[in-house]
Amino acid sequence: MSSTALTDLCRLPIVQAPMAGGASCPQLAAAVAEAGGLGFLAAGYKTADGMYQEVKRLRALTGHPFGVNLFLPQPGAADTAAVDVYRQQLAGESAWYETELGDPDSGADDGYEAKLAVLLDDPVAVVSFTFGCPTPAVLEAFAKVGTVTVVTATTSEEALAAEESGAAAVCVQGIEAGGHQGSHRDDPDADGSGLGLLSLIALVRETVRLPIVAAGGLMRGGQVAAVLAAGASAAQLGTAFLVCPESGAHALHKQAMTDPLFARTESTRAFSGRPARGLVNRFMREHGPYAPAAYPQIHHLTSGLRKAAAKAGDPQGMALWAGQGHRLARALPAGELVAVLAAEAEAARAGLEPGAAGSGSSGSVSR
């Protein structure tokens, strides 16, 4: 498939990552789309109707194309004994925040089939998938209604599976990325073995012919230009947009991005049972070493704790997802950030010194 089917959806090859948990709200996606990028909604952890209501709100805000991200159903193979032990280890957190621990068996499919039905009945421009690869039948159904499909991949093998199943494009996610690693299979033996984005792009380019959306630690236009030069058709940024005023992320989460108290990120299973990169805080330090591989069971178990910590104004108990470049976050309006990124990327492409292209210019990016 030609990359133009993806890049023709937006004037600039800048994609706002779908960040589950509230950050990727209609206001943020609309602002990015209006500025020439591709905005995304995150359907993860929402009901099918909740997703549809957000789609309707976004359509009321912009007439530009946008995407919706879905989580693939997860196998129910978690070690219940390990989950029970972790529940006991979290008893002190439950008492401290005065809230009950959640039910780990609240569901592993994230309403996947119902969400598919909604998006096939009332199509959007792009649907992307995380935590696995849809069946060829699902991808073919979306192609028939005119929806571009994108499958997240963290290895060249996963990218090949996406191509063979009929995906239109692949989102290549480097280990630098904030939030969950979108690997197709959660293998604890592979923890810490992920590849950096540029190496992964090169490997995927030699494995598949699909257009590539590059994701992982991208915060500046120069990095956008670099992944385009490496062979990507577009760059996807999450942490960079998380601090924008339109973002639905909690205020404490936004503040933590550049707070010297949170100096680094790590990948942890502490909050969800699946590897996810976030700012190192007390909860991660105390519970990360013992958290089992059990997603989404641990996500459901800790959900109330995370909400209680946010309500109490305590970032030390929150999941502060962030990419490795979080200290470069700029709290600009989303539309202005898109323009700045485009100008920086154009300057880098043209070999100009940083700042040579005015930071307020919309610019253009060669693709």
Side-chain angles (χ1 to χ4, degrees):
M1 175 186 172
S2 169
S3 65
T4 58
L6 180 66
T7 55
D8 281 354
L9 293 172
C10 49
R11 181 170 53 86
L12 299 168
I14 295 173
V15 180
Q16 165 248 313
M19 296 171 280
S24 297
C25 59
Q27 293 81 359
L28 177 61
V32 171
E34 289 291 312
L38 182 64
F40 251 95
L41 294 175
Y45 310 134
K46 294 183 175 69
T47 63
D49 183 64
M51 175 196 73
Y52 182 57
Q53 295 305 319
E54 286 208 340
V55 168
K56 289 203 299 184
R57 288 197 292 274
L58 179 49
R59 283 176 171 151
L61 295 171
T62 183
H64 291 282
F66 61 87
V68 174
N69 175 258
L70 302 180
F71 287 171
L72 270 291
Q74 299 301 293
D79 184 339
T80 56
V83 173
D84 287 342
V85 169
Y86 196 57
R87 173 189 283 278
Q88 296 169 22
Q89 292 171 333
L90 294 178
E93 301 284 350
S94 178
W96 176 256
Y97 291 115
E98 299 181 336
T99 190
E100 294 293 323
L101 294 172
D103 178 6
D105 299 317
S106 297
D109 70 351
D110 201 49
Y112 178 71
E113 294 293 340
K115 291 171 184 175
L116 289 180
V118 169
L119 294 172
L120 287 170
D121 182 64
D122 192 1
V124 297
V126 184
V127 172
S128 67
F129 300 87
T130 301
F131 301 148
C133 184
T135 65
V138 166
L139 295 170
E140 183 180 1
F142 276 113
K144 286 181 177 178
V145 298
T147 295
V148 174
T149 52
V150 183
V151 172
T152 305
T154 60
T155 66
S156 57
E157 291 80 9
E158 291 176 352
L160 183 59
E163 183 176 61
E164 291 177 343
S165 294
V170 62
C171 178
V172 171
Q173 185 193 40
I175 197 69
E176 306 94 334
H180 286 94
Q181 280 288 298
S183 52
H184 294 189
R185 190 170 66 91
D186 184 12
D187 180 5
D189 291 336
D191 283 3
S193 64
L195 292 172
L197 181 56
L198 289 177
S199 295
L200 188 55
I201 291 173
L203 284 168
V204 171
R205 280 200 73 197
E206 293 197 3
T207 305
V208 303
R209 300 183 64 183
L210 292 178
I212 292 171
V213 178
L218 306 178
M219 301 293 292
R220 293 287 189 264
Q223 294 171 298
V224 171
V227 296
L228 295 177
S233 297
Q236 180 171 288
L237 299 85
T239 303
F241 285 108
L242 187 145
V243 298
C244 293
E246 297 92 341
S247 161
H250 194 283
L252 291 173
H253 194 168
K254 294 182 180 184
Q255 293 165 10
M257 290 297 105
T258 53
D259 186 339
L261 182 64
F262 302 100
R264 59 191 177 88
T265 66
E266 283 185 5
S267 181
T268 185
R269 294 179 181 271
F271 296 102
S272 73
R274 221 181 198 277
R277 182 172 297 281
L279 299 176
V280 177
N281 61 4
R282 178 195 60 78
F283 194 101
M284 188 188 296
R285 287 192 297 270
E286 292 183 2
H287 303 293
Y290 314 107
Y295 176 87
Q297 289 83 1
I298 302 304
H299 163 78
H300 296 314
L301 190 68
T302 67
S303 178
L305 294 178
R306 290 177 274 126
K307 291 175 182 176
K311 186 176 181 180
D314 181 13
Q316 296 294 339
M318 297 169 61
L320 303 173
W321 303 138
Q324 287 183 344
H326 65 96
R327 298 297 292 273
L328 297 171
R330 298 175 284 197
L332 300 172
E336 183 178 342
L337 178 58
V338 170
V340 170
L341 289 167
E344 290 173 344
E346 179 64 17
R349 187 196 66 82
L352 299 176
E353 292 295 325
S359 62
S361 169
S362 62
S364 61
V365 180
S366 175
R367 52 176 189 230

